[in-house]
Amino acid sequence: MTEPAEVETTGRYLVLLQEDAIEEGVAELGAIAGFDPNTGELGSDTLEVFPELGVAVVSGDPNLLAELNGAADRPGPVQIVEPERVVHVFDAAPAEEPEAVAVDESVLTWGLQAVGADVSTATGKGIKLAVLDTGWEKNHPDFVGRAITTKSFITGEDVQDGHGHGTHCIGTSAGPRKPSTLPGYGVAHEAEIFAGKVLSNAGSGSDGGILAGIDWAVSNGCAIISMSLGADVAAGTPYSQIYETVAQRAMAKGTLIIAAAGNASMRPARIAPVGHPARCPSIIAVAAIDVNRAIASFSSGSADRIGQIDVCAPGVDVYSSFKLPEKYRRLRGTSMATPHVSGIAALIAEKTGARGFELWARLAGTALRLPLPSTDIGSGLVQAP
């Protein structure tokens, strides 16, 4: 496997604004991007602002980047400018895995057992958990009666999940323990679900859609945001300063962001670096292990000094909900490990009242150490309270 090429971009730009000068920043951006001060009209394809985060997405002529960078280089409300990236679901490539240890999944999945959810009294009740992904299977029978808030950030597509990835991640993080067809597969089975569609039915999206979803989740008071998505990067690629600041601002408001590390490794021959946006220091990066508690062959790791793995969770042969008519499927990837971590975070938030960085500290501090390098699994395998 070769190093990933330079990250694909959209031609638009992300702009970080000074947190206490959002309106001033928007006015300056508007002037640069062609905002009409006389009419106040601004096309949605020209400037989109996420006020909870203090970030904007700007599109315009090819000379726009130089003008934006000029604004960022001088004192004022425009602070950082970055190209907007294309992002995808993290699909795991087929690979040989060791023969599985026999685990009884007649009642609950092996993943729930591995993280101790089967013996915890916590349920996630009262905790708002956002999953930003390909949407939600609105007609899934296992979720009848559940509190589910949905919103699509993909133009021309409603929240209905035409891909299946999002429904699978929602199922693992907050699905039922006693569905009509066993096994139970949800960690925080009484959490309040926020399903944000930031990736299309084809499994792709952009930074702007993800930031819109984060802004929505923060404004709705979600304690946890789960993101099984991103872009693979070459070793040494700097992390996004804008996403890092967004994660810090979200954490200060009580929202913890948890993201998949990526599936670009081909172990033992090659360990790929943590992808975007999980490589940001203030976003929890999740690695995947198998039923033998070995690192998954595809799991990206701490392959450079920039992106670091924080924790690990079950990510191979994970059974969960899926789009209809299939209803259920087993998948593999750090995408499957991430909702295990998000569900455990919801259980800890319910039990302790912890939010933001305190929740992160409790999540990492109670993880089970495994006989594996911390560069592969961080603090260890997350555990229910």
Side-chain angles (χ1 to χ4, degrees):
M1 184 180 291
T2 59
E3 288 283 355
E6 186 175 342
V7 175
E8 186 182 357
T9 58
T10 66
R12 302 195 304 173
Y13 303 99
L14 309 180
V15 182
L16 182 72
L17 305 175
Q18 187 175 320
E19 197 167 15
D20 58 358
I22 305 298
E23 290 186 7
E24 294 90 333
V26 171
E28 184 167 352
L29 285 180
I32 293 171
F35 173 76
D36 186 342
N38 297 316
T39 65
E41 292 179 357
L42 188 64
S44 60
D45 60 342
T46 303
L47 177 61
E48 187 175 9
V49 181
F50 310 123
E52 286 284 346
L53 308 178
V55 176
V57 180
V58 187
S59 60
D61 64 57
N63 298 319
L64 183 61
L65 179 60
E67 296 180 59
L68 290 173
N69 278 324
D73 287 341
R74 62 178 182 266
V78 176
Q79 296 187 320
I80 301 172
V81 180
E82 294 177 0
E84 182 189 38
R85 304 157 195 81
V86 175
V87 293
H88 307 275
V89 296
F90 275 136
D91 287 326
E96 289 288 329
E97 295 292 341
E99 185 176 346
V101 172
V103 174
D104 182 358
E105 287 191 307
S106 59
V107 178
L108 294 174
T109 62
W110 80 265
L112 265 60
Q113 297 175 57
V115 298
D118 56 330
V119 294
S120 174
T121 59
T123 67
K125 188 173 184 178
I127 304 301
K128 295 178 178 180
L129 190 162
V131 177
L132 305 182
D133 211 285
T134 59
W136 165 240
E137 173 53 71
K138 296 183 288 187
N139 301 309
H140 204 289
D142 286 356
F143 292 80
V144 173
R146 287 291 295 278
I148 303 176
T149 304
T150 64
K151 186 167 183 179
S152 176
F153 301 93
I154 299 296
T155 302
E157 294 184 11
D158 68 11
V159 79
Q160 177 64 27
D161 186 4
H163 187 284
H165 191 270
T167 299
H168 197 277
C169 292
I170 289 170
T172 298
S173 61
R177 293 283 181 88
K178 295 180 179 179
S180 56
T181 303
L182 292 174
Y185 51 85
V187 176
H189 57 285
E190 290 189 334
E192 185 176 344
I193 300 166
F194 282 72
K197 183 167 187 153
V198 301
L199 301 177
S200 70
N201 290 331
S204 297
S206 67
D207 280 332
I210 295 170
L211 291 169
I214 294 173
D215 190 81
W216 170 72
V218 171
S219 67
N220 277 282
C222 293
I224 298 127
I225 296 175
S226 186
M227 304 196 311
S228 294
L229 49 75
D232 294 326
V233 300
T237 301
Y239 62 78
S240 166
Q241 294 182 57
I242 290 181
Y243 267 84
E244 171 62 14
T245 305
V246 162
Q248 292 176 6
R249 289 177 179 178
M251 200 151 22
K253 295 173 183 283
T255 302
L256 182 62
I257 301 177
I258 301 170
N263 305 328
S265 292
M266 191 176 285
R267 298 170 184 267
R270 176 178 179 269
I271 300 175
V274 174
H276 164 78
R279 66 196 285 104
C280 292
S282 296
I283 295 177
I284 293 182
V286 181
I289 59 167
D290 63 23
V291 71
N292 299 307
R293 296 189 175 181
I295 189 71
S297 61
F298 53 77
S299 189
S300 295
S302 304
D304 56 27
R305 294 181 179 230
I306 301 171
Q308 301 294 310
I309 295 294
D310 293 298
V311 293
C312 70
V316 178
D317 199 28
V318 174
Y319 175 92
S320 185
S321 47
F322 203 69
K323 65 177 181 176
L324 299 180
E326 192 169 346
K327 199 156 94 169
Y328 306 108
R329 183 180 283 190
R330 290 185 181 272
L331 295 176
R332 58 203 302 274
T334 55
S335 282
M336 284 60 255
T338 299
H340 279 96
V341 176
S342 300
I344 293 298
L347 300 187
I348 295 173
E350 177 210 347
K351 276 280 192 179
T352 66
R355 297 291 187 275
F357 186 73
E358 183 189 350
L359 180 55
W360 182 327
R362 289 180 181 273
L363 184 71
T366 57
L368 177 66
R369 284 299 310 167
L370 300 177
L372 295 169
S374 59
T375 50
D376 286 344
I377 65 165
S379 300
L381 174 59
V382 294
Q383 296 292 293

